[in-house]
């Protein structure tokens, strides 16, 4: 294992994830934009887009950085209290968020064909939908029994919110990355 590569990738992942997470919190607060934009911000979860993008670029090397970034991100949410449920909620939300994308990739590799190019539409769509489902469903099933007092309406609302927000975040981040990459490649070709 190359320690320098691991630290470099972890630093990049932590840095950009925490910036996106903090920006998402500012937008959610309603203080950054109008309340109208705050409402739409709930439908776009940019950090999940970064999880997918980091995994597509770095593969499993991004996992230590994602784990640390999720830990710091959740600590910045002021989610910690002295109750066992809150601490358990913190632990499982970090673990589910960190490992939903690699778990989805393993499922795709096991039951699908091996994709050499991870940026194909079929692979990206399958990875996005599966990881969004794993993230939203697993988190909300645990919250349904431990936090929400078995409130089915809240469970369905939260599940749909996770699913829509995660998918739209991936669309924005990955499309933005591909557009910027294309622009950079075109501009380098013109200068050559």
């Amino acid at each position: 294992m190359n320690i320098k590569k691991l630290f470099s990738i972890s630093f990049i992942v932590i840095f950009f994830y925490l910036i996106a997470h903090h920006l998402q919190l500012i937008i959610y607060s309603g203080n950054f934009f109008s309340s109208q934009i705050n409402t739409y911000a709930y439908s776009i979860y940019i950090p999940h887009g970064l999880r997918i993008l980091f995994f597509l670029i770095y593969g499993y090397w991004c996992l230590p950085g994602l784990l640390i970034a999720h830990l710091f991100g959740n600590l910045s949410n002021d989610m910690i209290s002295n109750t066992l449920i809150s601490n358990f909620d913190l632990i499982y939300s970090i673990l589910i968020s960190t490992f939903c994308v690699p778990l989805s990739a393993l499922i795709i590799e096991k039951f699908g064909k091996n994709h050499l190019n991870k940026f194909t539409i079929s692979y990206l769509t399958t990875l996005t939908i599966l990881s969004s489902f794993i993230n939203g469903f697993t988190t909300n099933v645990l919250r349904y029994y431990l936090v929400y007092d078995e409130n089915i309406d809240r469970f369905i609302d939260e599940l749909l919110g996770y699913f829509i927000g995660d998918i739209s975040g991936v669309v924005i981040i990955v499309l933005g990355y591909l557009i910027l990459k294309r622009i950079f490649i075109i501009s380098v070709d013109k200068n050559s």
Side-chain angles (χ1 to χ4, degrees), residues 116-128:
L116 297 176
N117 180 5
K118 303 293 186 199
F119 284 96
T120 61
I121 296 293
S122 64
Y123 182 80
L124 189 55
T125 303
T126 308
L127 184 66
T128 300

Side-chain angles (χ1 to χ4, degrees), residues 12-139:
I12 291 167
V13 168
I14 292 167
F15 180 76
F16 285 107
Y17 185 88
L18 289 178
I19 287 174
H21 180 76
H22 187 65
L23 180 63
Q24 194 81 36
L25 290 177
I26 291 171
I27 293 171
Y28 279 177
S29 71
N31 297 329
F32 192 66
F33 295 114
S34 69
S35 60
Q36 182 81 19
I37 292 178
N38 182 34
T39 303
Y40 296 128
Y42 283 108
S43 300
I44 303 169
Y45 191 66
I46 293 181
H48 189 69
L50 282 176
R51 287 181 211 139
I52 297 274
L53 183 62
F54 291 145
F55 188 78
L56 292 173
I57 294 171
Y58 300 119
Y60 295 99
W61 285 91
C62 71
L63 289 180
L66 277 176
L67 188 62
I68 293 168
H70 281 96
L71 178 64
F72 286 135
N74 278 326
L75 291 176
S76 70
N77 286 347
D78 296 326
M79 290 176 49
I80 296 182
S81 71
N82 293 327
T83 64
L84 180 61
I85 291 176
S86 293
N87 289 333
F88 182 68
D89 184 40
L90 176 71
I91 292 167
Y92 75 69
S93 67
I94 290 170
L95 293 176
I96 293 168
S97 298
T98 301
F99 294 105
C100 66
V101 177
L103 178 62
S104 300
L106 288 173
I107 292 170
I108 293 168
E109 289 170 12
K110 178 73 175 168
F111 296 106
K113 64 179 185 175
N114 191 6
H115 294 269
L116 297 176
N117 180 5
K118 303 293 186 199
F119 284 96
T120 61
I121 296 293
S122 64
Y123 182 80
L124 189 55
T125 303
T126 308
L127 184 66
T128 300
I129 290 172
L130 188 57
S131 65
S132 298
F133 180 76
I134 289 171
N135 186 32
F137 186 77
T138 309
T139 300

Side-chain angles (χ1 to χ4, degrees), residues 89 92-93 139-148 158 162:
D89 184 40
Y92 75 69
S93 67
T139 300
N140 286 298
V141 162
L142 290 170
R143 286 184 181 165
Y144 176 75
Y145 289 109
L146 299 174
V147 179
Y148 298 154
E158 292 282 330
Y162 266 75

